[in-house]
Amino acid sequence: MIQTGEYTCLEIMTRTVEGKKGYVVLRDTEGRENRYEAGKKYYQWLKIPVERQSSYELTSRDAEISLAYLSGCENILEKGICFIEPADGGISLSSREAAAYYDTPYREQYHFAPWKNWMNDPNGLCWYQGYYHMYYQYNPHGQEWSNMYWGHAASPDLVHWTHLPVVLEPQKEVLEQADIRKGGAFSGSAVVLDDETVFYLTRHLGPMEDGEETVQQQWMTRSRDMLEFEPEKLVIGEHPVGASFDFRDPKVLKVGDVWYMVLASAVDGQAAILLYRSEDMEHWDYVKPLVTEPEEGVRCFECPDFFPLDGSFTAWGALMCHRDVYGRYQMSRYYIGEFRDENFTVKSTGWFDFGSNCYAMQSFEHEGRRIAIGWISDFYGEHVEVENGAYGSMTIPRVLHVKNDRLYMTPAEEIYTLKSERLYTGEKENIHLEHIAGNSFYAEITFSENTDFNLLLGRDGKKEIRFIKEKDFAGIRTSGVKSEGISFPADVDMVRDMEIFVDRRAVEIFINGGEAAGTKLFYNSGTEGCFVLEAERPEAVTRAEVTKMQSVWQ
Ligand code: FRU
């Protein structure tokens, strides 16, 4: 039975079983039934009004339900939607049941992940009228990339998120011809104005294989409540001459009185971030490439960003199809420099996120902090599919700074409110924590001098993930998993301090107060974690602490 509580709408995504005429049936306690047709070729997104404080039985005939939830209540940003599991006439999951649903070995406890299925890039990150908002690339129907929707979540504190209704869906022509075309609502960003938020996004429409027939256009929409979006307006219909068909992921900023948009593309075969300008946010003129990546063999920059920070400007982008000398795939590069008269003069550049399982990072500014969140991506194919699993999650929000021409990233301080039971504090010794219940923890270590060490952060049978510091190498290494053989060096001369976040399958490491940050997936099928430090000179450890982290889904 579904209990509606304060909710007034039942949203269901449903598709007919091939060759049949499927539908879903909603039956109230008096036995009144309503039938709703399922989509023939694609998942129909039904929005069915329901009575508050009522019970319904939900059944389906010859139709699959990919996602179902209750929406439309007051305070929805606070309360979130209520998910329905379609089994046994529909079960509405209370928040307590939802916490149990989240408590599985492959699901993060304090990193954001969708309720189920595939997600990639964060989109439209912003703070608006009391809440942080995070939209994201979402396939509600399965644990693989497919035609894109925008999922949505909100948080009062960057740490506790509520799931909210899906806001954007793929174009009809994509859904109706999903066997020969692909596309949807691709990545984009938000600009907060006084009493509304403006969104920019790419609509993609193309054949299954990207190529010259692929169309990527930039669209704009607005919202006052972050839930309902106005009809979209086309703002840039085609890419400039010389740029590739990869032309997407608008990110908008204001410099003085001028609005600028950066877009992912490539020019003459080199990955490039394109710069556009506008006086009114609607009419956009192409200026020129803001940055061109010198390295060969990169298809384009994806999800570029551009913002002022600590007296200079930072641009970044994710390098599509790039592989570095260590075997790392699709790293992201930042560029720091001066932006004058629409010229960006790059002074320094570097990789960010040495673990390379962090992609499409997007930033926004709120109350003087430049905050960024990235998609924890799986470029080495290490995902383990489980029923109702989520494929993809988000990094911890990071606060950015530029110091000595280098981009620093530190965990947003709100994350420390989740620290709970202390598992270890000590100094000048090696550490052996082999059975950390729940495998969701945080650790800090400070070293007084440069010592080599080997730090085990996860073990599952013969599979391992370690952070290793030896001679000229400081970084992550895995064994027994698909990323074995690739090394993940952090670009630091010495490790003075480390902050380590292990959260079931996600490992995030911050070194030397944010000088380097690295994200690596490690699917651990067990329920216990480990933290084993073996240092060549244990006396170099001036302080170490390991604490459990609370789940944000309780
Ligand atoms: C990056 C990306 C973006 C695109 C989106 C589609 O991960 O490929 O360039 O807009 O994902 O889901």
Side-chain angles (χ1 to χ4, degrees), residues 120-121 137 145 148 186-187 202 248-249 302-303 359-360 375:
N120 51 295
D121 321 345
Q137 293 284 284
W145 188 93
M148 280 289 121
F186 274 25
S187 283
T202 301
R248 58 180 177 273
D249 309 337
E302 295 191 287
C303 299
Y359 203 71
W375 160 42

Side-chain angles (χ1 to χ4, degrees), residues 288-519:
K288 61 180 168 188
L290 180 79
V291 178
T292 306
E293 167 62 40
E295 213 163 320
E296 300 285 327
V298 184
R299 181 168 139 186
C300 69
F301 273 112
E302 295 191 287
C303 299
D305 205 338
F306 188 47
F307 48 86
L309 183 63
D310 297 332
S312 48
F313 273 78
T314 297
W316 72 43
L319 293 177
M320 188 177 189
C321 301
H322 177 263
R323 195 175 286 280
D324 83 350
V325 291
Y326 304 101
R328 291 180 295 188
Y329 192 57
Q330 303 206 137
M331 300 277 287
S332 298
R333 176 112 74 197
Y334 68 81
Y335 305 82
I336 295 169
E338 307 259 315
F339 185 57
R340 266 203 208 111
D341 304 326
E342 299 184 343
N343 287 316
F344 183 48
T345 318
V346 176
K347 284 205 302 208
S348 62
T349 173
W351 293 124
F352 67 86
D353 209 284
F354 63 89
S356 76
N357 278 158
C358 167
Y359 203 71
M361 194 159 235
Q362 186 176 86
S363 79
F364 67 103
E365 204 245 9
H366 178 56
E367 290 183 341
R369 282 196 300 177
R370 176 61 53 180
I371 302 166
I373 296 178
W375 160 42
I376 303 186
S377 50
D378 172 31
F379 295 137
Y380 311 106
E382 293 173 326
H383 179 61
V384 179
E385 186 158 330
V386 288
E387 206 188 336
N388 287 332
Y391 191 1
S393 55
M394 295 293 185
T395 64
I396 286 169
R398 299 177 182 179
V399 175
L400 311 182
H401 280 292
V402 171
K403 285 186 208 165
N404 308 321
D405 293 330
R406 190 169 168 143
L407 185 65
Y408 274 64
M409 295 184 162
T410 48
E413 61 186 21
E414 289 87 336
I415 200 76
Y416 302 117
T417 59
L418 300 173
K419 282 167 70 178
S420 62
E421 188 192 334
R422 188 176 295 166
L423 300 170
Y424 174 88
T425 34
E427 52 170 23
K428 300 188 170 48
E429 61 179 6
N430 285 327
I431 304 169
H432 288 272
L433 298 173
E434 304 264 11
H435 303 283
I436 303 178
N439 195 21
S440 261
F441 60 92
Y442 164 76
E444 266 178 287
I445 322 178
T446 325
F447 297 95
S448 60
E449 53 177 305
N450 208 359
T451 176
D452 284 358
F453 64 86
N454 187 319
L455 176 59
L456 177 69
L457 293 171
R459 175 183 281 152
D460 185 13
K462 291 203 165 99
K463 301 174 193 161
E464 285 184 352
I465 180 164
R466 291 173 182 272
F467 187 95
I468 290 168
K469 165 80 186 69
E470 60 186 13
K471 294 195 197 91
D472 298 334
F473 179 85
I476 297 171
R477 288 213 177 110
T478 58
S479 55
V481 292
K482 288 196 184 141
S483 54
E484 176 173 335
I486 300 171
S487 51
F488 303 90
D491 178 21
V492 293
D493 294 334
M494 180 187 163
V495 178
R496 285 186 300 278
D497 58 72
M498 291 178 84
E499 288 187 81
I500 297 155
F501 295 84
V502 175
D503 189 13
R504 308 270 159 110
R505 65 179 164 181
V507 176
E508 261 188 280
I509 299 173
F510 297 84
I511 302 173
N512 300 344
E515 191 184 1
T519 311

